[in-house]
Amino acid sequence: MIKKFIRKILGVSNKSDLDIANRKPTVLGPKEHGIDPQLVSANAIRITQTLQENGFKAFVVGGAVRDLLTGVKPKDFDIATNATPEQVKRLFRRAFIIGKRFQIVHVMFGQDLLEVTTFRGAATDGAPKDEHGRVLRDNTFGEQHEDAARRDFTVNAMYYDPSTQTVLDYHGGIKDVRKKTLRIIGVPEARYREDPVRMLRVVRFAAKLQFTIDAATRAPIAVMAPLINNVPAARVFDEMLKLLTSGHALACLQQLRKEGLHHGLMPLLDVVLEQPLGEKFVTLALANTDERVLQGKPVSPGFLFASLLWHQVVEKWEAYKAAGEFPIPALHLAADDVLNTQTDALAIQRKIGTDMRDIWAMQPRFDKRIGKTPYKLLEHPRLRAGYDFLLLRCASGEIDAEIGEWWTDFINGDGAEREQLINSKPKPSAADASIKKRRAPRRRGPRKPKAEEA
Ligand code: ATP
Ligand code: MG
């Protein structure tokens, strides 16, 4: 009893029993797993075949196997092998070893990129960790069963060999796929402590696959969520981007809120979602993004983050105007504030930050619908994104729908139609004021110094 308690505290289960039990996988033939070989990428087959012909083990692994088992065409294929990165690299013409924390090989065929990973070893006990127990480095290679135990969820720990069409299942993944259950491998608390990003992953998979989270896998999340704050921002950002571009962003965000995970991710996101206009805007933006992903259209991270943070910008914009700032500089100051906070918290890359600023800065320019100004805006390289953003603002009720309609006509119109639109005086309510809320009195006053000038 006491031993069991101590094991639980330390986050170890009956480790030796577990090792022995999972050394031998369940092997499933084509009739049992039912994978359609047509859905397997020809390049993945090329890689596993080449490795096998050279005496190595090689399998399709992870999300691709999970998706194949549910009849979904995987979006990318990862390969696991017992060949070292150097050995893999030698077998392919365009192969590059990448990564510091754990080396993997990128093998390219034309535009197609596949990740080849060497089986990881079991030992995380001796690996360097931060003060919260997060594993910092682990560069040990190992056996296949050890690799399986290191993966996050049972449904992500299966290996498919295209040459024999067999699936190796070490942790009951096939049962969980059938039951549509996400179950973490090992002791949940320990696995989240090693890598808190797994809490975000479980949410993403639950929303994307429409699987339920097993009770024991789910229970510690509410308590352990703050550990995400210790993860390097760039990693959280990558995972957030995956989540937002999964085609199920809206469902993911709702799930994040349900699990209490949205706090550390985007400061104030909670507040934003609780403002009626902010929530409507974010909901519309994400529904729009999901639609694009499902149609196979590209989504721009800049547009996404510009949408998520817009109502923070609006709030600050209003505040700067109320403090006597002119509308355009006020908007730039608001954008600076929001980007500065979020760049630290989320490691928003410079390029994405620039795109966000462009989209925001374009918004007041849509108000000016006289003279040559609208024509100038037509030449803006980011017009499409700015215009799509404008339509979201209309749809969310932030600004008059009329302004969006006017721009739709203007963009699609020919020369004469455009002239006519310019000459038809826009309704005064929408001509000047984009924000419906109370406007600040326009008075000249000393501009607040920017942070870096102060
Ligand atoms: P997707 O379809 O979204 O790409 P995926 O399962 O392939 O889902 P990846 O992030 O591509 O997710 O990871 C590939 C595999 O690597 C996973 O299936 C899992 O086995 C393993 N993996 C990835 N991240 C972790 C992690 N943080 N901890 C443990 N295993 C992980
Ligand atoms: Mg993947």
Side-chain angles (χ1 to χ4, degrees):
M1 178 71 193
I2 290 175
K3 254 193 197 161
K4 200 170 159 197
F5 180 68
I6 291 174
R7 279 204 206 100
K8 189 154 172 118
I9 296 282
L10 293 176
V12 287
S13 59
N14 274 331
K15 202 168 183 309
S16 50
D17 298 354
L18 192 84
D19 271 359
I20 293 160
N22 292 320
R23 223 174 259 277
K24 289 260 172 288
T26 306
V27 182
L28 297 116
K31 282 218 183 70
E32 292 152 298
H33 60 64
I35 288 178
D36 176 0
Q38 304 280 9
L39 293 180
V40 184
S41 121
N43 290 332
I45 296 173
R46 244 160 107 177
I47 296 180
T48 50
Q49 216 166 23
T50 306
L51 283 162
Q52 289 169 355
E53 281 163 8
N54 284 275
F56 299 110
K57 289 185 180 178
F59 301 86
V60 172
V61 70
V65 185
R66 180 197 68 218
D67 290 348
L68 286 169
L69 284 167
T70 46
V72 172
K73 193 176 166 62
K75 70 173 163 43
D76 48 36
F77 283 80
D78 297 325
I79 312 292
T81 178
N82 63 348
T84 63
E86 289 295 338
Q87 289 169 325
V88 175
K89 185 175 154 63
R90 261 180 255 136
L91 292 176
F92 301 96
R93 208 166 54 83
R94 292 176 66 215
F96 312 93
I97 298 180
I98 60 145
K100 283 204 188 95
R101 190 163 165 259
F102 189 85
Q103 288 192 330
I104 60 172
V105 186
H106 277 176
V107 179
M108 315 254 332
F109 298 105
Q111 290 295 317
D112 198 13
L113 185 155
L114 293 95
E115 266 183 28
V116 183
T117 313
T118 306
F119 294 147
R120 291 190 182 198
T124 55
D125 299 358
K129 299 189 180 110
D130 73 3
E131 74 268 30
H132 305 282
R134 188 170 64 83
V135 173
L136 297 173
R137 275 186 308 282
D138 56 284
N139 282 327
T140 49
F141 298 137
E143 300 289 326
Q144 187 170 15
H145 72 273
E146 294 173 313
D147 184 82
R150 294 283 307 274
R151 293 184 179 269
D152 44 10
F153 305 104
T154 61
V155 296
N156 282 349
M158 289 178 279
Y159 301 78
Y160 175 66
D161 178 354
S163 66
T164 58
Q165 290 193 35
T166 48
V167 169
L168 306 189
D169 177 10
Y170 284 87
H171 294 279
I174 198 106
K175 241 196 280 166
D176 284 338
V177 166
R178 304 261 143 90
K179 281 197 299 194
K180 292 184 177 285
T181 299
L182 281 165
R183 189 188 313 278
I184 202 157
I185 297 169
V187 179
E189 288 85 347
R191 301 305 310 283
Y192 294 139
R193 191 163 299 126
E194 275 171 11
D195 183 7
V197 166
R198 290 174 186 147
M199 293 186 267
L200 295 180
R201 291 176 59 84
V202 75
V203 164
R204 171 162 68 91
F205 292 131
K208 172 179 152 169
L209 305 168
Q210 294 180 307
F211 277 26
T212 31
I213 306 174
D214 160 68
T217 298
R218 181 175 183 190
I221 296 179
V223 186
M224 298 185 80
L227 286 181
I228 293 184
N229 297 327
N230 308 318
V231 177
R235 250 202 101 204
V236 176
F237 179 78
D238 284 349
E239 198 55 41
M240 279 297 284
L241 202 55
K242 276 193 188 177
L243 194 145
L244 293 170
T245 55
S246 65
H248 304 271
L250 199 53
C252 281
L253 218 65
Q254 281 156 354
Q255 186 91 24
L256 281 178
R257 291 180 85 185
K258 209 162 105 191
E259 306 298 338
L261 275 170
H262 55 297
H263 283 292
L265 297 177
M266 287 215 153
L268 298 178
L269 187 56
D270 201 20
V271 183
V272 171
L273 289 174
E274 263 130 46
Q275 297 167 345
L277 273 181
E279 169 151 31
K280 183 119 191 259
F281 188 85
V282 168
T283 306
L284 280 170
L286 293 183
N288 215 344
T289 308
D290 287 345
E291 184 63 32
R292 286 184 70 89
V293 174
L294 296 181
Q295 289 173 359
K297 292 187 190 161
V299 295
S300 119
F303 189 90
L304 254 172
F305 284 101
S307 312
L308 287 176
L309 300 172
W310 172 241
H311 275 265
Q312 282 181 44
V313 175
V314 169
E315 202 173 279
K316 285 179 193 279
W317 188 15
E318 290 294 308
Y320 276 117
K321 284 190 287 188
E325 198 59 74
F326 282 114
I328 305 283
L331 176 59
H332 284 276
L333 289 172
D336 284 346
D337 284 357
V338 171
L339 279 173
N340 287 341
T341 324
Q342 300 293 341
T343 314
D344 292 345
L346 266 179
I348 290 177
Q349 292 134 18
R350 196 193 294 265
K351 164 81 175 74
I352 298 178
T354 311
D355 287 352
M356 292 164 72
R357 191 187 293 278
D358 277 355
I359 291 169
W360 293 336
M362 225 185 291
Q363 297 310 306
R365 296 181 62 184
F366 287 110
D367 291 341
K368 304 211 169 61
R369 289 180 278 160
I370 41 170
K372 295 269 170 275
T373 327
Y375 291 100
K376 275 205 203 115
L377 199 49
L378 280 186
E379 287 158 24
H380 196 293
R382 311 268 307 139
L383 171 73
R384 189 77 216 179
Y387 162 73
D388 285 344
F389 200 85
L390 178 80
L391 293 185
L392 277 178
R393 294 173 66 211
C394 294
S396 70
E398 180 201 327
I399 54 174
D400 279 333
E402 183 271 338
I403 188 168
E405 287 156 15
W406 191 95
W407 275 98
T408 303
D409 293 342
F410 189 73
I411 289 170
N412 297 325
D414 60 21
E417 285 163 343
R418 284 178 177 169
E419 269 313 293
Q420 207 189 353
L421 279 161
I422 301 262
N423 294 331
S424 73
K425 276 227 160 70
K427 284 180 203 153
S429 68
D432 188 34
S434 69
I435 302 289
K436 277 179 167 177
K437 293 180 196 160
R438 182 182 62 82
R439 290 182 62 80
R442 292 193 174 201
R443 63 178 164 81
R444 284 178 186 272
R447 190 172 69 80
K448 263 207 204 158
K450 281 188 187 180
E452 61 265 32
E453 295 168 0

